[in-house]
Amino acid sequence: MKKYFALSILTVGILVLVIACNKSAVVVNNNNNNNNNVDSNALMPLKAGNIWVYQDSSWDSLHAAPQVLTDTAYLSTATATSASEPGILFYNFVDYNGWFGPYAYFATASDQYGNSYLLAMDSLGTNPYTYFATASTDGALLGSSQDFSNPACLTTYQQFAFASTKVINGFTCYKNFITATNCNNVNVENQVEYVSPGVGIVRIEDWVQDTTLPGKPLYLNYSQTLTKYIPK
């Protein structure tokens, strides 16, 4: 994947926090999860041959207002192909030109409390982590982790979920919101994810600091929005 703040989610079975490649990954006790990749109500209906078509856009900084696209918006296509892991079935999400490219691996799961999860791996054989989760209330804290790549100033990541929905490009979506805060309590990056049950990942937004301006405000650096979902 291009970039993702993998966080510890504390409600799925027995979770073990692992720090690797500047990410905190989640190892899932599969005995407490029900794999429902083919369920039409799953967060992402994973099936070999399913296709998602996205519009990807990169944006310039706020320094030269008005903000404009640095790259012409282009389309990227993601296709699911099967790939198995012991205990839970992950699907390869092939997205050569998009956020997840060239390869990512996803699986869906749920727990006894009715919460749904989208699990991910950057490559086969690595520890799965929770990419997205639902919650019963808006602003629910799902989990947190720290980036130790700079021991002198740790970055803290927190992931929040929202029970309310938002319609994006015709798809009714739930939202997760990830914040990155440095040791000086400065918000240095945000990532927003929208997922529509039965369809999958609808939109991703990556907000980063504009270091050319006083106060270093965040601006939308990249977005990827689903334009068409084609189930097999």
Side-chain angles (χ1 to χ4, degrees):
M1 297 186 190
K2 264 188 186 178
K3 186 176 185 182
Y4 180 66
F5 309 137
L7 304 175
S8 60
I9 306 299
L10 305 179
T11 54
V12 189
I14 299 173
L15 306 182
V16 179
L17 188 62
V18 179
I19 304 299
C21 300
N22 299 329
K23 293 182 178 180
S24 59
V26 174
V27 178
V28 180
N29 178 355
N30 296 322
N31 293 329
N32 293 337
N33 290 274
N34 299 313
N35 181 251
N36 55 358
N37 285 322
V38 296
D39 185 347
S40 61
N41 294 317
L43 284 177
M44 196 165 183
L46 294 166
K47 180 181 179 181
N50 285 358
I51 295 172
W52 295 261
V53 180
Y54 293 95
Q55 177 173 299
D56 305 58
S57 302
S58 297
W59 305 84
D60 69 356
S61 72
L62 297 172
H63 184 75
Q67 190 179 15
V68 297
L69 286 168
T70 55
D71 296 328
T72 302
Y74 61 93
L75 294 179
S76 65
T77 300
T79 304
T81 61
S82 61
S84 62
E85 277 284 291
I88 189 168
L89 181 63
F90 278 81
Y91 279 77
N92 187 188
F93 194 70
V94 183
D95 182 23
Y96 290 106
N97 298 316
W99 179 265
F100 302 101
Y103 300 102
Y105 296 86
F106 287 109
T108 56
S110 59
D111 63 19
Q112 63 269 35
Y113 304 107
N115 300 308
S116 298
Y117 303 88
L118 184 56
L119 308 177
M121 294 187 297
D122 292 332
S123 61
L124 285 178
T126 58
N127 291 321
Y129 56 87
T130 303
Y131 177 83
F132 191 95
T134 60
S136 58
T137 59
D138 283 344
L141 177 62
L142 296 175
S144 62
S145 67
Q146 289 185 308
D147 182 351
F148 292 88
S149 59
N150 180 8
C153 186
L154 302 183
T155 298
T156 299
Y157 302 111
Q158 291 184 300
Q159 183 166 358
F160 302 88
F162 295 80
S164 57
T165 59
K166 180 177 181 179
V167 177
I168 296 178
N169 221 21
F171 302 102
T172 301
C173 304
Y174 291 102
K175 180 173 78 172
N176 275 193
F177 187 84
I178 301 101
T179 64
T181 306
N182 67 16
C183 61
N184 297 313
N185 203 33
V186 175
N187 185 195
V188 294
E189 188 168 5
N190 291 335
Q191 185 173 306
V192 189
E193 305 161 341
Y194 294 95
V195 171
S196 179
V199 174
I201 300 167
V202 170
R203 182 171 170 84
I204 297 167
E205 299 174 0
D206 187 36
W207 296 75
V208 300
Q209 280 187 314
D210 188 341
T211 57
T212 66
L213 293 177
K216 301 178 182 179
L218 298 181
Y219 73 96
L220 180 59
N221 178 61
Y222 177 87
S223 66
Q224 180 167 318
T225 307
L226 185 67
T227 61
K228 185 185 298 184
Y229 166 57
I230 308 170
K232 183 176 180 181

